[in-house]
Amino acid sequence: MSFSSHTSRYLSHVDWALIFSTCAIPLCGLIVLYSAGYDPESEGVSIDWLGLTIQSSAFLKQLVFLGAGSLVLLLAASIPTSFFFRIAPFAYFGGIALLTAVLQFGYVSNGARRWLSIGGFNLQPAELMKLGLVLMLARYLARRPPPPGGYRVTEMIVPALLVFAPMALIAKQPDLGTALAVGAVGVGMILFMGVHLRTLLTIVTILAVMAVPAWQFLHDYQKRRVTVLFNPDADPLGSGYHIIQSKIAVGSGALFGRGYFKGTQSQLEFLPEHTTDFVFSVLAEEWGFVGAVVVLALYVLWIYRLLRVAAKARDLHSTLLVTGIISIIFFHTIINIGMVVGLFPVVGIPLPLFSYGGSSVMTTMAALGIVLGVSLRRFQFANK
Amino acid sequence: MASFERSTINLPFRTAAAFGVACACFVVIALRLWYLQILNGDYFRARSENNRLRTVYLPPPRGLIYDREGRILAGNRPEFNIELVTEDSPDPRATVERLATILDLDPNTLVAQLGGQKRRRRFEPKLLVRDASRDMIARVVARRYELPGVVINVNPARDYLHGDLAAHVLGYIREITSRQLDLPGFSSYRSGDMVGHYGIESQWEMDLHGERGIQRVVVNATGSKIGESSFEPEVPGRNITLTLDLDVQREADTALQKLRGGVIALDPNNGEIVALSSAPRFDPNMFTHEIPSDTWRELVTGAERKLSNRVVQGGYPPGSVFKMIMAVAGLSENVMPIGERVFCPGYYVMGARKFKCHKHEGHGWVDLNDAMAMSCDVYFYTMGQRLGVDRIHDYASRFGLGSKTGLKLAEENAGLVPSSEWKQRRFGQRWYPGETPSVAIGQGALVTTPLQLARAMAAVVNGGFLVTPHLVREIADTERHFHEEFTGERGEIDVDPQILRQVKRALLTVVQNERGTGRKAQVDKSFNVLVGGKTGTAQVVSLEQGARHKHLQDHAWFVGFAPEEKPEIVVAALIENGGHGGTAAAPAVRQVMESFFKKRRGAAVAAPGNAESGARRGSP
């Protein structure tokens, strides 16, 4: 990007590819959700001027979430990036405090203590913690960029602790999937800054050796999810059920899919969680390989354009902020789709901007707002 | 705002590397999709055509409840439910409306009933009419071609074979509430499940309920069953054998007909409850269906308080029944030696106050036996004065008054035994000696339940130990593997057995002496059994106002035991507002005891109405 005339500056610098991918993904999501959440028995909402009745509550609610999310996005974009630098410690330690509180007072659902109920509003502090960690690491690493050749062990002790503390608290809930996602986001940010090659190889070796005793600490159901991954038919009605049903859904889509509203796995509800965590199965079932790859391509384009924002940000803190947010989006996408196609164990992680769900949409939109803010301010060199 | 040095970082390289890693991950996913969808697409499509699992839940039959002789008190009967599989119905709403016309039901209620089950999946049957009559079933079957998707399923439903018999013991079951569904203990339950809400049904819910079976049926694209993929059979609930005896229980229920009150019969040697009746009763069968809210309100809050178990929850002053414990205390503490006589002029003067005996003209000179037989208040005023409230409290507590017996049938009333410490704690005042006499005759702040008094009587006559009253004999699964057997635990009361024998003798005179107040408790002489016990007449006093309600009669008590040497049964009867214990409660005890001994002794016909002649040998 070079300088351009003042009049057309904003228009010419609008990143149309970024806007296209950011809008196309939730639109595809809505199309799939309309079918996945279709319920012919529901009252539905009729739209007179279009002469049709929408009988999919997931579609309608997601539409509302996206609308509200857009406002959150604009709000987050209007906040100066320096603000996120200042509030980072509060966001981070506030998140830690909420995670501690959830272990004490949170209510139990499906055997895990993950939710806090505040005034009738249910909050999953682990979701907030992801953003808190990104803000905190961006602040810390921006002030301590790596020496040539990358970070060495001593320089990484504090960042590692910053990543490990929330991970341990979330793993204790227990929510191993989210704990690993938080860890991946933190590690992704540190790796982006650069780690000394020999240090990196040493750490990877040590972790590989430690993986064996760590296995002993997993809950039985967590172990089962991993073993079932390699042999789902060992437990076709228990832990293997999700994987088998999802693989049947994806596989039966073949090249061009079974057609809109024709996916039997999802329409007949053999597929669990088909509007939330397993929404990609519905896409693959009804739109086939072609549809699935088109959506994958949209995610690749999206991440590419987001990385460009990171590269062109006006300072290192902004770069790190955007990188952290990309990490969140990227790891969620890969873990979710990997789970749906049977490459990862079943964990409760939604597909960003695609899965139905208010808190997922809201946090992603807020994160995108921060990215937009960084992008709009990339030419402000006020202090230089 | 700080500005950050980033000269050491080669940003274009790092972003390119990050993008490369991301792309590699997406390529792996795309390859996996290729493998699943292109290479194995045909295989998975075939599986999706044929491998359609439908989950069918099989409700477990609830455990049966038997009496001690194995006769069924609560069983199961088949219940026919009209349900709708919405997936098989082209227009569910129209079908439901058609069904309503055929059955003469309100279409709106049926549609609402259907709408309330949104959470069920489309291929799962949704309940429309629970426990449909034969006539309804016939009408549906005859016109089933007009009713696509409508199915008739048979479920086991609770059946209380004897109606309201032992209703307060058995309890009832109802559809699980949404509040219960959120509780951790009910995590395996689904909406629509029936769950115990009261009595044994509630207390032993986890044993009685069983586990539902899960059948996964493979169906083809049109919904026809083409095989079974797995089958976990339902596990029936465990059967419970109670200590109740159906015949004695029926007699206890009959004795309370048209009255308000409670009767409990227990074995004084092990605490097994042979009969437990509270009146008025309710019919547990009616809870199986939705019951109108005004019926419900009347049950819970109506003046009759039908749902309250008066044996366990009702708190009443023990009245003169308390004198049996006074006698034990007086003899044990040696404040009133066994031969000492007290003169009863019909009143007892203490300071400026005059406490009346219930016989205003006085009993004259009385010893323990006379005082017990005629229930002389002055004798016990004197004894109470010599003991003081705290020693009375000590003995009453040893006999289990003032604390729960541990029978978890309903929220148990612990009752109350006053003491100077209690007075200080409760009112911040010291105990005045003038308050002791009313406690000595079982009034004042004393509160007891029929269950507590039966247990205390058992301790007096069984040689001196406290039994644990219980209702469950054994719990067994259908293969008769015993899970638990129950025997009463014993608690010591630490009283000289010699003294207990003297008190027991005095209690015999209450029924056997020609001037005794409890003569109507004696069973027919053909049983060859002597009955002892104590009458009681509890004044109905509003504690708040301290004023006696003129329109309310006193509560009538009788707590009896038999036979005289080695008692086998203790029966306590309380008749609310029944008047005198000897006339209102004693006959109820006799009736229950006769039915008990008729079985135990195999003895003769119970000849009603000649209890007066029952005494074989009268005590002086």
Side-chain angles (χ1 to χ4, degrees), chain B residues 531-559:
Chain B
V531 177
K534 186 70 197 84
T535 52
T537 304
Q539 288 166 13
V540 178
V541 171
S542 162
L543 289 171
E544 291 80 23
Q545 300 155 20
R548 188 156 161 193
H549 292 255
K550 290 196 189 78
H551 64 285
L552 286 178
Q553 268 194 297
D554 295 340
H555 296 325
W557 277 107
F558 191 83
V559 185

Side-chain angles (χ1 to χ4, degrees), chain A residues 38 40-41 43 82 85 142-143 145-146 191-194 237 241 244-245 247-248 250-255 257-258 264 267-270 284 288-289 292 296 299-300 303-304 307 311 313 315-317 319 330 333-334 337-338 341-343 383, chain B residues 1-6 8-9 11-12 14-15 18-19 21-23 25-26 28-30 32-34 36-38 40-42 44-45 47-49 51-55 86-87 92-93 114 118 120-123 126 216 219 221 229-230 232:
Chain A
Y38 182 68
E41 284 156 45
E43 290 292 312
S82 59
F85 183 85
R143 293 206 289 201
L191 281 178
F192 180 82
M193 293 290 275
L237 300 171
Y241 183 79
I244 293 176
Q245 295 302 330
K247 273 164 69 177
I248 292 175
V250 172
S252 66
L255 185 58
R258 307 209 60 160
T264 52
Q267 295 300 329
L268 298 182
E269 300 178 53
F270 295 112
F289 183 72
L296 282 188
Y299 275 98
V300 172
I303 285 167
Y304 174 68
L307 275 169
D315 57 34
L316 187 55
H317 173 249
T319 301
F330 170 72
T333 307
I334 287 298
I337 302 179
V341 298
L343 289 175
N383 297 336
Chain B
M1 176 78 201
S3 67
F4 303 104
E5 190 57 54
R6 58 181 186 193
T8 56
I9 299 168
L11 263 187
R14 303 222 73 91
T15 42
F19 185 62
V21 172
C23 282
C25 290
F26 279 105
V28 170
I29 299 251
R32 175 71 175 178
L33 284 172
W34 175 270
L36 289 175
Q37 298 190 287
I38 309 297
N40 289 299
D42 292 341
F44 282 117
R45 182 153 306 186
R47 271 191 80 173
S48 78
E49 288 295 334
N51 186 23
R52 294 192 185 170
L53 296 172
R54 273 189 183 183
T55 311
T86 45
E87 188 193 282
R93 217 194 156 93
L114 189 68
K118 276 256 161 60
R120 296 223 162 187
R121 298 200 224 154
R122 250 175 264 165
F123 53 80
K126 292 173 189 166
R216 286 192 213 263
V219 295
S229 94
S230 80
E232 290 170 40

Side-chain angles (χ1 to χ4, degrees), chain B residues 134-261:
Chain B
R134 272 168 196 281
D135 173 55
M136 283 171 141
I137 301 295
R139 279 195 255 175
V140 169
V141 172
R143 309 176 76 163
R144 65 172 177 272
Y145 297 107
E146 299 170 36
L147 301 166
V150 172
V151 291
I152 291 161
N153 280 327
V154 190
N155 275 332
R158 203 53 155 173
D159 189 12
Y160 300 95
L161 274 70
H162 306 280
D164 66 1
L165 179 116
H168 289 92
V169 173
L170 300 177
Y172 59 87
I173 62 170
R174 284 184 82 191
E175 216 171 286
I176 190 164
T177 63
S178 52
R179 209 168 52 90
Q180 281 174 315
L181 278 171
D182 291 335
L183 297 176
F186 294 101
S187 55
S188 65
Y189 289 69
R190 311 173 77 227
S191 66
D193 282 356
M194 301 299 278
V195 64
H197 271 251
Y198 190 77
I200 293 287
E201 293 275 28
S202 162
Q203 194 196 340
W204 301 95
E205 168 67 24
M206 295 306 154
D207 288 285
L208 288 166
H209 189 265
E211 290 161 36
R212 66 163 179 266
I214 297 173
Q215 191 176 17
R216 286 192 213 263
V217 189
V218 186
V219 295
N220 65 14
T222 60
S224 317
K225 180 172 161 181
I226 54 174
E228 275 178 20
S229 94
S230 80
F231 180 65
E232 290 170 40
E234 69 274 23
V235 181
R238 293 175 186 151
N239 298 332
I240 293 184
T241 304
L242 298 181
T243 57
L244 289 189
D245 183 310
L246 175 60
D247 302 306
V248 183
Q249 177 68 38
R250 181 174 288 129
E251 217 54 52
D253 282 359
T254 316
L256 289 175
Q257 208 73 57
K258 296 199 177 84
L259 296 171
R260 275 179 289 116

Side-chain angles (χ1 to χ4, degrees), chain B residues 437-465:
Chain B
S438 43
V439 174
I441 60 156
Q443 296 291 154
L446 268 173
V447 177
T448 56
T449 65
L451 176 64
Q452 285 176 327
L453 287 189
R455 184 187 187 214
M457 178 61 86
V460 172
V461 301
N462 69 7
F465 58 89

Side-chain angles (χ1 to χ4, degrees), chain B residues 348-483:
Chain B
Y348 177 74
V349 180
M350 198 188 138
R353 278 188 71 182
K354 204 170 168 181
F355 293 90
K356 281 181 187 159
C357 186
H358 69 88
K359 192 180 178 190
H360 299 306
E361 53 273 35
H363 291 100
W365 285 99
V366 288
D367 66 1
L368 175 65
N369 283 353
D370 303 327
M372 197 68 96
M374 297 180 288
S375 204
C376 173
D377 289 338
V378 170
Y379 181 90
F380 288 99
Y381 288 144
T382 314
M383 189 183 253
Q385 198 53 45
R386 294 182 190 174
L387 280 167
V389 70
D390 287 331
R391 282 199 277 184
I392 296 175
H393 173 267
D394 173 32
Y395 280 87
S397 306
R398 290 197 208 182
F399 282 90
L401 303 189
S403 50
K404 296 184 179 183
T405 67
L407 183 71
K408 296 189 199 68
L409 199 56
E411 197 49 54
E412 196 184 349
N413 189 338
L416 177 69
V417 181
S419 67
S420 55
E421 185 268 333
W422 165 81
K423 179 89 187 288
Q424 193 66 42
R425 178 162 39 85
R426 178 81 172 73
F427 297 103
Q429 286 174 353
R430 67 180 186 89
W431 182 272
Y432 298 105
E435 296 171 89
T436 311
S438 43
V439 174
I441 60 156
Q443 296 291 154
L446 268 173
V447 177
T448 56
T449 65
L451 176 64
Q452 285 176 327
L453 287 189
R455 184 187 187 214
M457 178 61 86
V460 172
V461 301
N462 69 7
F465 58 89
L466 267 187
V467 294
T468 308
H470 59 278
L471 276 160
V472 175
R473 253 197 164 181
E474 66 183 39
I475 298 179
D477 61 26
T478 40
E479 276 99 48
R480 300 280 299 161
H481 293 134
F482 292 111
H483 281 271

